[in-house]
Amino acid sequence: MSAILVLVLGLAAMAAGYFLYSKFIAEKIYRLDPDFKTPAHEFEDGVDFVPTNRYVLWGHHFTSVAGAAPIVGPAIAVIWGWVPAFLWVVLGTVFFAGVHDSGAIWASVRNKAKSVGALTGDVVGKRARSIFMIVIFLVLLMVNAVFAVVIAGLMMNFSSAVVPVWGAILVALVIGQMIYRRKMSLPMVSIVGVVALYALIGIGPSVPLQMPAEVAGVSGNAIWILLLFGYAAIASLLPVWVLLQPRDYINGLQLFVGLIVLYGAILLLNPSMIAPAFNDNVPAGTPSLLPLLFVTIACGAISGFHGLVSSGTTSKQLNKETDARFVGYFGAVGEGMLALAAILAATAGFASLADWEAMYTAFGQGGVNAFVEGGAFIIHNGLGLPEATAATLLTVMAALFAGTTMDTGLRLQRYIFQEWGEIYNQQWMKKPAVATLLAVGSCLLLAFGAGGADGSGGLIIWPLFGTTNQLLAGLTLLVVTVMLVRLGRPMWYTLAPLAFLLVMTIAALLIQLRTFFDQGNYFLLGLDIVVLVAAILVALECVSALKRLRNEAPAKQE
């Protein structure tokens, strides 16, 4: 099949989702109010609570939630064939992710920008809050520890990406000053930022910076990880307008430039989908498509991590409540477009089926490498851009998204420790610097305690990321659903995705439980049991909360 047809169908479905379905959800279900005073105005402090232009906030939200996961997940899941991956990415984006993300923003904004974890205690109950906080901590621990390994690996393997990846931080600092101090027009700032970023990408191959394999007995990979956490700690303490917002905004723009380049190359080259539509010849040891497809793609269709960003940083910067539709739902569409690009690069970016099969020799293969190599092949043959330059462009794209997610993730982890300080009345934990040190320390403990000297410990628990992340999405939808029931509004638009996620998550956990037992991996086996118990408790909390609310009169409509 022509990749152009797949591209057009995918983009058309997502466009229809935004222009039609999200409008219905925003106006009839969430009933977003342009006159509601958002927490960004009510608690404005110039650090975390900052009323923000919706386009800039969209850039922050989208690049924070995107990361490398919507590239990695779909590019692994095509091992079952491109049709199942394509259908779940498109349908998940339209009916699951957009509703989830915009709903999390709305729920948080209506409750003084509380994180969805803290909000659970008020909306559902203290038991649900305790479950939620454990799941949130695990997800953030996985994301921060693993993305540090991903970025470090990219910089070790692609030395041409080092200058643009780190140079993007300087560009973001300048952009922040131009927007907030110089009050320059956003279009001009956007042009300057994108030109500077792509100039760095052009310079990268000419100035490759290679970290030595070992420095003073420490591996180069470990040094990159330490540097990344040092940077992320500083970034998490800075006011959002100084670095976080402008870095995310410029990265959001460069994603669209990157997608235009990749999509444009597909239109010019018109490659065929080399991979099978449904793959009956999967490598030995590949798990069943159902339910593993859904937890493998995860962020490419719906992600619980999005709920953390929506309620952790985005809700504190929302200028008008009606912006939640553009920022939240369209942010999910942006991630769906990235996942679609990953599917096309990983299935149409190979010269032959034999080349594709050589990439996918076992379950878990492909990922970022398939995206970079397949995408570079398409861009080179479609646009004539040197393959090394195309590979650098896509590598920088993946690294920058992983970096912005890590920035936001560490800030969110700092919020979690501060919320624990609030819940358990521990004043010392509420201090930003202390909470940041605790966040960084827990990540480094996992990275080096479990992974040894190279700092790759996050990869050990990564096999459980998909299931834990989907469980977190279910918890977020539970909070939103309970709020809707209390207000006497239709609940099926959130309850149906919630039920689907819980069924798939519990089924996937049971399959993984058997796998870890057969492998003798008792660490992951124990962790799987913890997450499985949490999933069952969430299901019970859903039934209990909704049953209880059936007998209560709806709250006054807002």
Side-chain angles (χ1 to χ4, degrees), residues 110-122:
R110 285 285 168 162
N111 289 274
K112 301 186 182 300
K114 287 183 179 180
S115 77
V116 73
L119 186 56
T120 306
D122 299 335

Side-chain angles (χ1 to χ4, degrees), residues 183-427:
K183 306 296 183 182
M184 295 177 65
S185 69
L186 193 58
M188 177 59 69
V189 170
S190 303
I191 293 170
V192 170
V194 171
V195 169
L197 196 58
Y198 277 91
L200 288 171
I201 291 174
I203 293 170
S206 304
V207 192
L209 296 179
Q210 184 68 55
M211 178 73 73
E214 187 174 298
V215 178
V218 181
S219 70
N221 192 73
I223 292 174
W224 277 129
I225 290 173
L226 291 170
L227 289 173
L228 286 165
F229 273 113
Y231 153 74
I234 295 170
S236 74
L237 291 169
L238 290 174
V240 290
W241 66 267
V242 173
L243 179 59
L244 191 68
Q245 277 185 4
R247 175 171 159 85
D248 292 350
Y249 176 64
I250 292 301
N251 283 343
L253 292 179
Q254 72 91 20
L255 166 77
F256 271 99
V257 173
L259 286 180
I260 289 171
V261 169
L262 182 56
Y263 288 164
I266 290 172
L267 293 174
L268 291 172
L269 182 62
N270 191 19
S272 296
M273 305 294 284
I274 297 298
F278 296 93
N279 190 13
D280 296 324
N281 188 32
V282 295
T286 301
S288 61
L289 183 150
L290 292 175
L292 269 297
L293 171 75
F294 304 100
V295 298
T296 300
I297 289 179
C299 300
I302 181 171
S303 166
F305 180 73
H306 293 201
L308 301 185
V309 176
S310 296
S311 64
T313 58
T314 302
S315 64
K316 295 178 175 64
Q317 303 169 61
L318 201 72
N319 186 38
K320 292 183 177 180
E321 188 178 67
T322 47
D323 290 346
R325 178 192 171 204
F326 178 78
V327 175
Y329 197 102
F330 192 59
V333 169
E335 179 153 286
M337 292 169 64
L338 179 58
L340 178 60
I343 291 172
L344 291 169
T347 55
F350 295 86
S352 67
L353 177 59
D355 290 335
W356 182 82
E357 289 177 337
M359 172 66 73
Y360 289 87
T361 56
F363 180 71
Q365 297 295 312
V368 173
N369 288 337
F371 171 73
V372 171
E373 293 182 22
F377 175 87
I378 292 172
I379 293 172
H380 170 65
N381 289 283
L383 300 177
L385 199 67
E387 203 155 353
T389 303
T392 298
L393 186 152
L394 295 174
T395 300
V396 170
M397 181 190 294
L400 287 181
F401 278 113
T404 53
T405 299
M406 187 178 167
D407 288 359
T408 303
L410 199 64
R411 186 180 286 261
L412 291 172
Q413 207 167 0
R414 186 246 289 179
Y415 290 162
I416 292 299
F417 278 107
Q418 288 179 299
E419 286 180 355
W420 273 336
E422 182 73 33
I423 292 169
Y424 298 109
N425 196 28
Q426 298 295 317
Q427 297 300 317

Side-chain angles (χ1 to χ4, degrees), residues 137-138 140-142 144-145 229 409-410 413-414 416-417 420 434-450 457-458 461:
F137 184 75
L138 285 174
L140 289 174
L141 198 62
M142 292 176 190
N144 292 332
F229 273 113
L410 199 64
Q413 207 167 0
R414 186 246 289 179
I416 292 299
F417 278 107
W420 273 336
V434 174
T436 299
L437 286 175
L438 289 173
V440 172
S442 61
C443 291
L444 291 178
L445 183 63
L446 171 63
F448 291 95
I461 62 173

Side-chain angles (χ1 to χ4, degrees), residues 497-509:
L498 162 60
F500 180 86
L501 287 176
L502 286 179
V503 170
M504 291 301 165
T505 299
I506 291 173
L509 284 165

